Amino acid sequence: MSGLKFHVSSPYNTMSSDPAPVEDEEFYSSWSLFLVCTLLVLSLWTSYYLQIKRIRAIHETLVSVFAGMFVGLVVRLAPGTMIREMLTFKHTLFFNLLLPPIILNSGYELKQENFFRNFASIIVFAFAGTFISAVGVGVLVHIYSFLGIEGMDLSLVECLTFGSTLSATDPVTILAIFNQYKVDPKLYTVIFGESLLNDAVSIVMYETLSKFHGEEVYLGSIFHGVGIFLISFLLSTLLGVTFGLLMSLLLKHSHLHHFPHIESCLVALCAYTCYFLSTGLTLSGIVSLLFCGITLKHYAYHTMSRKTQRASKSLFSVLAQLSENFIFIYLGMALFTSAPTSEPVFSYVKPLFILITTIAVVFTRYAAVFPLAEAINFFHRQVGGQRHDELPHSYQMMLFWAGLRGAVGVALAAGFNGPNAKVLRMTVLLVVVITVLFFGGTTARMLEVMKIRTGVPDEDGGSDSEDDDGAFYDYYAPLSRTANGFGGGSRSRRWSRDYQEGAARIGTHYGNRGLQPPRPLSSRVSRQGKCAPVTWRYWSGTCHILFCIFGIV
């Protein structure tokens, strides 16, 4: 009976005492979100200011990192731990919320003709280059650990896993500057394509090596790991292509174009469902999502209504922009919020180990880029009969400079286990920030030193120019008519170079999303209530992808 009396009277006690923690959590989460939104506004406003002032020596990503570092330091010194815990870098948040929009937009906005024209070079750098970088860093770190300096005791598998996290490149800053300068499309495409597939390869490599953690490595283990890697990559690709084709068939054989809001939601949900299913099947979600986005743009885009085309492009672009800026803010804050409050901020910092790791990352990038580029040039000269280099020395140097590491490595490092896990996580984080600040901050100067061609129009870039017949012009026509220098005259004069540069989004490497001139009437796609036929060019593109992947396997 006493228990009954307790339960009867407990609701009143609960009402007076329990809501307090819930209210506190809501209070601190509101302040955390306020800080994040403020930093995002600051980052985007900086992008606008740098664009209109044509300041190219500083980039918004650098501002985002430093702003995140400042806020992280303030949160670290402030009393209480609630806000610090909410702003701590979480790998689940990164992989489930921040990374998918970036990858999806990359595949959806890919300049397909340039990508497939340079697909062989991209595959070589993405697979062989990532392998050289991961193994090279792992071996050099293992040698350093073997010397016993700073008390580091790491096994070979741990070192290779550590190397795989630092093999993921993320040249956001560099390719954004390439967009501003309008660098040669071939150089842009090779670096862009390598960064896309490189992230996927490094993730699959990390997951493969994690399965051998704590085990002895034999010669058979190497072949077993390579087999797991290739099967996972192939199945992930097929899953992404399958989801894209199924959505294309659904749009083609239905009347969803009469309901653009539902159609837009289904397109986005198809891509995200593909990503989460692939991750749930222990495959590579990033690979599946990338090829799902490519397939959607190949087949489904021309069967959508005009509103869905605009909505999907705008939605994916906005989400990618916000995620990209938030990631750099996140990295800056993580420098001060990742360590527990009971310990000093840099208690897990080993300066010599960080220096050795940074040197290893730079050295292995050099060892991966220049020999592979020379091999590609030799192949094109001997087999293709070219008289000029496919990748001249200036391009090779910019490929090397684009090897700065990104947030994918930081998120993968969250899965480290063992007594040295915290040291390895802090090392990865600091190496990523160092490479972003150094290589990203000197890219504009390197373009001048290497005398890279700039101001090159991309006349045959591919799918970015495959927009509606003048839909974007009609949408932005009031703006173009009232802007200075665009009043009157022919329609083509409104699409001047200055207006395109002003309208283009700065601060992302996922394709140039600047406004494009209207396409000729002869090349427009008919969408008068019917689905446009899928041309042979799109079928050949997907077949080319599958043949290359089967050839690798």
Side-chain angles (χ1 to χ4, degrees), residues 70-80 84 336 345:
F70 174 76
V71 172
L73 178 60
V74 172
V75 171
R76 177 78 184 191
L77 298 177
R84 185 193 66 79
F336 297 97
V345 177

Side-chain angles (χ1 to χ4, degrees), residues 340-357:
T341 53
S342 58
E343 301 176 9
V345 177
F346 298 109
S347 57
Y348 300 111
V349 174
K350 294 187 178 295
L352 186 57
F353 182 61
I354 294 172
L355 177 62
I356 295 297
T357 303

Side-chain angles (χ1 to χ4, degrees), residues 105 108-109 251 256-257 259-261 263-265 267 296-317 466-472 519 524-527 530-532 538:
N105 191 65
Y108 201 72
E109 292 292 337
L251 295 179
L256 283 171
H257 58 274
F259 307 92
H261 298 300
E263 188 181 32
S264 302
C265 293
V267 171
L296 285 174
K297 191 60 182 287
H298 265 302
Y299 303 118
Y301 185 80
H302 296 287
T303 61
M304 301 175 190
S305 62
R306 293 274 182 84
K307 290 184 178 180
T308 301
Q309 288 179 343
R310 294 191 205 130
S312 60
K313 288 172 69 70
S314 300
L315 175 65
F316 298 158
S317 175
E466 295 171 2
D467 292 328
D468 316 347
D469 46 323
F472 282 104
R519 300 170 62 204
R524 298 174 185 173
V525 180
S526 175
R527 302 185 189 90
K530 299 182 181 179
C531 300
Y538 302 115

